[in-house]
């Protein structure tokens, strides 16, 4: 959820659903939700907080922020000009020894080449509170314990350890970071949520009218206090002094952020407030607009030597262009041949980004480059083959969601090629060694990206994966109850992203590496005759593995045989463990997993009880699970299928998805009982 809070103007709440971000406009100009307030005093602590042995809101927490406070103000200095001062005040209760590292604090700040380009830390205070002999004892941070270190060419760090910190202590410190506006013109992101709970997290900012900031509220927690009021702002110079706006944001009882399954990256989900300077307008002095449009971004990319300049370099590809053109006239065949050439020739160095490294020609000659190198050279080659091909910019899952409302080059960190042939379109990423044309790696499955055409205006396109995490497992076996044995053949076909994952892990290895892993996965099986087909022959096809196996049940009784027929691909745990969830569920790609088992019984044996068939559907055709057991003659057939076609579910759909997975577990855990007749 992203909430836009422009100064002066009404704010907006933005929420991302399965397809897009929708805007719900509302006004927040007064204290919105909570009437309770909290304003402690630095250097004074209450006894109840010191006596607290565990945080009531989260008994597992090793520490808790009792108070997390930030305030930003602006002032003028005759020597350094406009200054931005960030006041920080932190109070933390140490509940377990594992949290003692929080008493070691580092505050980095920028150090430029002149005094006008230097930040500094001011008014630093620190205290540690303990209960000793039933008395509150406060230990103050001494100035001589504060160290200032040069950590890089442009960064110094203030470091200190709060004294006498131990399990049960409360640590507290405050400081001011003063930043010239020519060094830092935007406040840092304020994060209300982190790895430990926060009882009270508050952020204040007083913005003079001549500064126009776009404020973006992200995350899924509701503001308990949101105040906006006009104030007089004494900046310290007559041309800057005047009206402004004061903002106060508070979230109380903030839970720790839990990195749950099926999310992109934590920054997409934690509650935070972000700032972007739109303009400076000092009447009679200066007016400067910092806001960008997507057209500005595209123009910048086109003019950049490391992006647009590289797209105009094609001479080194003319020989391979002529070779492909001589082999094929069909556009689709040309696309496939060009993709295969770049994919086979180039080795990805593991780096993403929008910069073409040392250039696509050098990368081509060296047979190695970053993802931008590889996919820009693919784009150039396809254009040389007269195909409509353009770079497509996106943000990977670990980089975070792309916010279409905020035009920034920094929103992107990955480039692929986009091809249109007739009415069909294809995403191509030749940096992925074992992918097929039209299949993006899972890291790139992240909502939307922006197409940058050779001519005209760019556009946003949704990334909809055409493949799923697909596998089909089959067992044909005979059961000998008297011996307690089961033996037969097993096969598995990996398709889609399962095939890509398999090839990425095993294609470059000897067959023995997979065989060893297979045996470790089913230690109760005696495996032989392992065969692997289509390791790398055809990336469009499935990877097929087969083997013979035998297993013995040492607990088998004469005339009775118990076994779980889902002998492969069985779900043994629910990936969704939380009771409730406030974040969307993002699978990346769909799930398609099937198991077919045929078990032959000796004469005189039969199923004791036929399990009930089951079909479970997710709402809105989001998924389906089926389970069925049948007996025909002396053969027991088991068929189960899990299909989740949707890749994104909203928090209110979480209970349905969790229950869906839970029902899968229950049926997959259900044993069958084979008995001899008339005993």
């Amino acid at each position: 959820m992203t909430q836009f809070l422009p100064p002066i103007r009404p704010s907006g709440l933005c929420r991302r659903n399965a397809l897009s971000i929708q805007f719900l406009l509302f006004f927040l100009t007064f204290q919105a939700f909570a009437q309770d307030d909290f304003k402690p005093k630095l250097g004074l602590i209450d006894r109840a907080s010191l006596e607290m042995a565990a945080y009531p809101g989260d008994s597992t927490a090793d520490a808790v922020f009792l108070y997390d406070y930030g305030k930003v103000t602006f002032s003028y200095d005759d020597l350094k000009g406009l200054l931005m001062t960030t006041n920080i005040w932190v109070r933390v209760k140490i509940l377990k020894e594992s949290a003692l590292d929080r008493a070691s604090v580092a505050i980095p700040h920028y150090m430029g080449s002149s005094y006008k380009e230097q930040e500094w830390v001011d008014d630093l205070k620190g205290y540690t509170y303990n209960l000793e002999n039933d008395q509150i004892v406060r230990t103050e941070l001494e100035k001589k314990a504060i160290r200032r270190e040069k950590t890089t060419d442009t960064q110094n760090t203030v470091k200190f350890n709060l004294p006498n910190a131990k399990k049960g202590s409360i640590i507290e410190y405050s400081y001011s970071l003063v930043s010239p506006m020519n060094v830092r013109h935007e406040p840092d992101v304020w994060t209300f949520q982190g790895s430990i709970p926060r009882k009270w997290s508050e952020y204040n900012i007083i913005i003079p009218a001549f500064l126009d900031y776009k404020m973006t509220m992200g995350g899924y927690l509701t503001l308990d206090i949101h105040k906006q009021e006009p104030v007089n702002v004494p900046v310290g110079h007559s041309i800057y002094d005047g009206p402004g706006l004061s903002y106060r944001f508070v979230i109380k009882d903030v839970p720790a952020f839990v990195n749950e399954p099926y999310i992109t990256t934590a920054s997409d989900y934690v509650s935070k407030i972000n700032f972007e300077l739109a303009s400076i307008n000092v009447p009679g002095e200066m007016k400067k607009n910092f806001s960008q449009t997507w057209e500005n971004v595209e123009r910048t990319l086109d003019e950049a030597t490391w992006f647009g300049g590289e797209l105009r370099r094609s001479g080194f590809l003319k020989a391979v262009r002529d070779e492909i053109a001589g082999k094929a006239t069909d556009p689709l065949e040309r696309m496939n041949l060009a993709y295969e050439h770049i994919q086979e020739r180039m080795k990805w160095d593991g780096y993403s980004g929008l910069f073409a490294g040392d250039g696509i020609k050098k990368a081509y000659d060296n047979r190695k480059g970053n993802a931008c190198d590889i996919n820009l050279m693919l784009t150039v080659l396809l254009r040389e083959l007269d195909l409509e091909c353009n770079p497509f910019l996106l943000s990977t899952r670990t980089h975070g969601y792309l916010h279409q409302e905020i035009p920034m080059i920094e929103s992107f960190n990955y480039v692929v090629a986009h091809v249109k042939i007739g009415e069909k379109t294809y995403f191509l990423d030749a940096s992925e060694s074992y992918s097929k044309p039209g299949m993006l790696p899972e890291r790139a499955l992240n909502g939307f990206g922006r197409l940058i055409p050779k001519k005209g205006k760019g556009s946003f396109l949704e990334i909809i994966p055409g493949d799923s995490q697909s596998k089909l497992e089959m067992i044909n076996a005979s059961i000998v109850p008297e011996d307690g044995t089961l033996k037969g053949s097993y096969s598995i076909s990996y398709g889609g992203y399962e095939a890509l994952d398999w090839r990425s892990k095993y294609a470059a290895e000897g067959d023995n590496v997979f065989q060893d892993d297979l045996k470790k996965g089913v230690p109760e099986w005696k495996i032989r005759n392992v065969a692997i087909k289509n390791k790398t022959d055809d990336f469009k096809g499935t990877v097929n593995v087969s083997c013979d196996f035998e297993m013995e049940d040492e607990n088998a009784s004469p005339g009775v045989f118990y076994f779980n027929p889902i002998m492969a691909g069985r779900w043994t745990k629910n990936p969704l463990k939380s009771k409730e969830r406030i974040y969307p569920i993002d699978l990346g790609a769909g799930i398609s997993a099937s198991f077919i088992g045929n078990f032959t019984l000796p004469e005189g044996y039969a199923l004791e009880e036929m399990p009930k068939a089951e079909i479970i559907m997710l709402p809105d055709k989001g998924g389906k699970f089926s389970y069925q057991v049948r007996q025909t003659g002396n053969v027991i057939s088991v068929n189960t299928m899990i299909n989740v076609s949707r890749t994104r579910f909203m928090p209110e759909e979480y209970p349905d998805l969790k229950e869906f997975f839970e029902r899968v577990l229950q049926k997959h855990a259900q044993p069958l009982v084979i008995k001899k007749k008339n005993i």
Side-chain angles (χ1 to χ4, degrees):
M1 183 187 296
T2 307
Q3 172 180 329
F4 294 93
L5 307 169
I8 304 176
R9 302 179 294 276
S11 59
L13 173 70
C14 132
R15 179 177 183 140
R16 176 187 290 268
N17 63 16
L19 298 177
S20 65
I21 297 181
Q22 298 177 336
F23 291 90
L24 305 173
L25 296 179
F26 69 103
F27 292 90
L28 289 173
T29 57
F30 197 69
Q31 183 166 331
F33 300 99
Q35 300 302 317
D36 297 334
D37 211 339
F38 180 53
K39 294 184 178 179
K41 290 185 178 181
L42 184 68
L44 294 177
I45 198 71
D46 63 288
R47 188 180 187 90
S49 296
L50 265 176
E51 291 177 340
M52 179 174 58
Y55 181 54
D58 183 354
S59 60
T60 65
D62 63 358
V64 58
F65 280 92
L66 301 176
Y67 194 56
D68 185 27
Y69 176 88
K71 183 176 183 179
V72 173
T73 57
F74 296 87
S75 61
Y76 181 82
D77 179 82
D78 290 336
L79 294 177
K80 296 193 176 185
L82 279 173
L83 303 175
M84 178 174 62
T85 300
T86 305
N87 299 299
I88 300 294
W89 178 2
V90 172
R91 182 178 286 179
V92 178
K93 170 71 176 184
I94 305 294
L95 296 166
K96 300 178 183 178
E97 290 184 356
S98 56
L100 284 174
D101 59 349
R102 293 185 178 274
S104 298
V105 183
I107 308 167
H109 53 97
Y110 181 80
M111 296 298 290
S113 57
S114 73
Y115 72 94
K116 291 183 179 181
E117 298 176 336
Q118 295 179 359
E119 295 181 303
W120 70 94
V121 175
D122 201 7
D123 198 24
L124 175 59
K125 297 183 178 68
Y127 306 97
T128 304
Y129 306 90
N130 289 293
L131 272 178
E132 297 179 8
N133 299 321
D134 204 34
Q135 299 294 316
I136 297 177
V137 176
R138 187 183 80 174
T139 308
E140 187 171 352
L141 175 67
E142 297 182 356
K143 289 187 178 180
K144 64 181 181 181
I146 301 170
R147 308 183 307 279
R148 288 172 170 81
E149 299 178 4
K150 186 175 180 64
T151 44
T152 71
D153 289 341
T154 58
Q155 180 178 286
N156 279 11
T157 302
V158 172
K159 296 182 178 181
F160 58 91
N161 295 315
L162 291 160
N164 203 26
K166 52 192 173 184
K167 177 182 175 182
S169 298
I170 291 175
I171 57 173
E172 178 177 49
Y173 58 91
S174 69
Y175 64 90
S176 297
L177 176 64
V178 186
S179 309
M181 289 286 283
N182 64 332
V183 169
R184 187 193 302 266
H185 57 258
E186 294 169 345
D188 285 336
V189 175
W190 178 263
T191 304
F192 293 93
Q193 193 175 19
S195 59
I196 63 172
R198 303 184 187 201
K199 193 172 182 180
W200 189 277
S201 185
E202 175 172 344
Y203 187 77
N204 295 259
I205 185 169
I206 300 174
I207 304 176
F210 63 86
L211 295 175
D212 182 14
Y213 282 102
K214 291 179 182 178
M215 292 186 283
T216 309
M217 182 76 192
Y220 293 83
L221 299 177
T222 303
L223 286 167
D224 289 300
I225 297 175
H226 177 183
K227 282 186 175 180
Q228 173 184 316
E229 58 184 0
V231 293
N232 183 55
V233 185
V235 177
H237 194 291
S238 58
I239 66 170
Y240 298 119
D241 294 344
L245 284 172
S246 174
Y247 295 88
R248 186 179 183 217
F249 307 99
V250 176
I251 305 181
K252 62 178 184 176
D253 300 322
V254 183
F257 177 77
V258 179
N259 203 339
E260 299 187 58
Y262 302 134
I263 69 170
T264 50
T265 185
S267 63
D268 284 334
Y269 300 88
V270 295
S271 290
K272 60 186 178 182
I273 188 164
N274 188 57
F275 299 85
E276 181 189 0
L277 183 60
S279 65
I280 298 177
N281 186 1
V282 182
E285 292 290 330
M286 66 176 294
K287 185 174 183 179
K288 188 172 183 180
N289 186 14
F290 293 90
S291 289
Q292 288 207 80
T293 64
W294 285 117
E295 288 76 14
N296 295 147
V297 170
E298 289 162 16
R299 190 181 308 113
T300 299
L301 286 167
D302 182 64
E303 294 172 356
T305 56
W306 42 264
F307 193 87
E310 294 296 330
L311 287 169
R312 291 183 277 273
R313 302 184 66 189
S314 60
F316 68 100
L317 291 170
K318 292 191 184 302
V320 68
R321 175 204 63 188
D322 293 342
E323 182 182 344
I324 292 173
K327 289 181 180 178
T329 57
D330 177 68
L332 183 60
E333 189 176 353
R334 284 188 170 191
M335 182 190 80
N336 289 333
L337 288 172
Y339 178 82
E340 289 170 9
H341 172 77
I342 299 297
Q343 184 185 45
E344 290 174 4
R345 180 183 181 89
M346 299 302 298
K347 179 178 176 59
W348 181 39
D349 63 11
Y351 289 96
S352 302
L354 304 186
F355 295 84
D358 294 328
I360 61 174
K361 182 184 184 303
K362 188 172 182 179
Y364 187 83
D365 292 341
N366 293 336
R367 297 176 175 261
K368 185 177 182 179
N370 62 33
C372 185
D373 288 323
I374 294 170
N375 289 320
L376 286 187
M377 74 174 66
L378 175 62
T379 301
V380 171
L381 178 57
L382 290 168
R383 285 178 173 180
E384 286 289 306
L385 289 164
D386 299 323
L387 271 71
E388 185 181 340
C389 181
N390 294 296
F392 183 74
L393 277 56
L394 55 86
S395 174
T396 59
R397 292 173 68 84
T398 56
H399 188 251
Y401 282 128
L402 168 64
H403 295 292
Q404 299 178 30
E405 303 76 21
I406 308 175
M408 293 174 60
I409 289 179
E410 292 79 9
S411 298
F412 307 106
N413 74 323
Y414 206 74
V415 187
V416 298
H418 178 274
V419 179
K420 185 176 182 182
I421 301 176
E423 295 303 313
K424 289 190 175 182
T425 59
Y426 303 86
F427 289 116
L428 306 179
D429 184 356
S431 71
E432 189 63 54
S433 300
Y434 304 106
S435 185
K436 62 184 180 181
M439 183 183 189
L440 291 181
E442 289 182 81
R443 61 180 173 272
L445 303 180
N446 196 24
F448 287 80
R450 190 165 180 89
L451 184 67
I452 311 295
K454 194 172 185 178
K455 293 182 179 180
K457 197 176 174 183
S459 59
F460 288 103
L461 301 178
E462 187 176 6
I463 303 166
I464 303 175
D467 293 271
S468 62
Q469 302 169 43
S470 175
K471 61 181 178 180
L472 168 63
E473 296 177 85
M474 299 181 67
I475 282 182
N476 290 288
S478 297
I479 298 174
V480 184
E482 299 297 335
D483 298 337
T485 60
L486 188 153
K487 58 183 176 180
S489 63
Y490 164 73
S491 65
I492 180 169
S493 294
Y494 297 96
Y497 286 98
E498 289 280 358
L500 179 58
D501 291 345
W502 191 96
R503 289 184 173 118
S504 297
K505 187 174 182 180
Y506 298 110
E509 304 288 345
D511 288 357
N512 62 299
V513 175
F514 172 74
Q515 292 179 24
D516 291 343
D517 286 349
L518 176 63
K519 292 174 182 178
K520 289 175 185 175
V522 279
E524 66 276 14
W525 290 12
K526 295 178 181 177
I527 294 175
R528 61 183 186 279
N529 301 328
V530 179
I532 302 172
K533 294 182 179 179
N534 195 23
K535 215 173 176 182
T536 57
D537 297 337
D538 177 14
F539 295 153
K540 296 177 184 177
T542 59
V543 176
N544 302 303
V545 178
S546 62
C547 68
D548 297 324
F549 76 98
E550 181 175 350
M551 62 173 289
E552 182 177 348
D553 183 0
E554 297 178 354
N555 299 315
S557 304
V560 181
F561 187 78
Y562 296 86
F563 79 110
N564 187 321
I566 315 297
M567 298 181 64
R570 183 192 313 159
W571 282 39
T572 59
K573 59 183 179 180
N574 192 333
L576 304 179
K577 300 185 183 301
S578 301
K579 291 182 180 179
E580 57 185 23
R581 179 159 166 164
I582 63 174
Y583 317 119
I585 299 95
D586 191 323
L587 303 178
I591 299 171
S592 177
S594 298
F595 172 81
I596 298 172
N598 295 300
F599 303 94
T600 302
L601 306 179
E603 292 297 328
Y605 283 84
L607 266 176
E608 181 182 48
E609 183 179 353
M610 185 68 65
K612 182 181 177 181
E614 188 155 9
I615 296 178
I616 304 166
M617 306 288 292
L618 281 169
D620 300 325
K621 299 181 180 180
K624 178 182 178 180
F625 168 66
S626 63
Y627 177 92
Q628 186 178 41
V629 177
R630 291 176 298 177
Q631 181 168 354
T632 304
N634 66 333
V635 177
I636 298 171
S637 298
V638 180
N639 194 319
T640 180
M641 180 270 296
I642 305 164
N643 180 269
V644 181
S645 53
R646 280 176 55 193
T647 61
R648 189 171 173 83
F649 295 82
M650 299 310 293
E652 56 269 23
E653 299 175 293
Y654 178 77
D656 290 333
L657 189 61
K658 184 180 180 182
E659 176 62 21
F660 178 85
F661 289 156
E662 200 61 42
R663 297 286 286 276
V664 172
L665 290 182
Q666 291 171 8
K667 296 305 289 187
H668 277 199
Q670 188 173 352
L672 297 183
V673 182
I674 310 298
K675 274 193 173 183
K676 196 170 187 177
K677 299 174 183 177
N678 302 321
I679 63 168

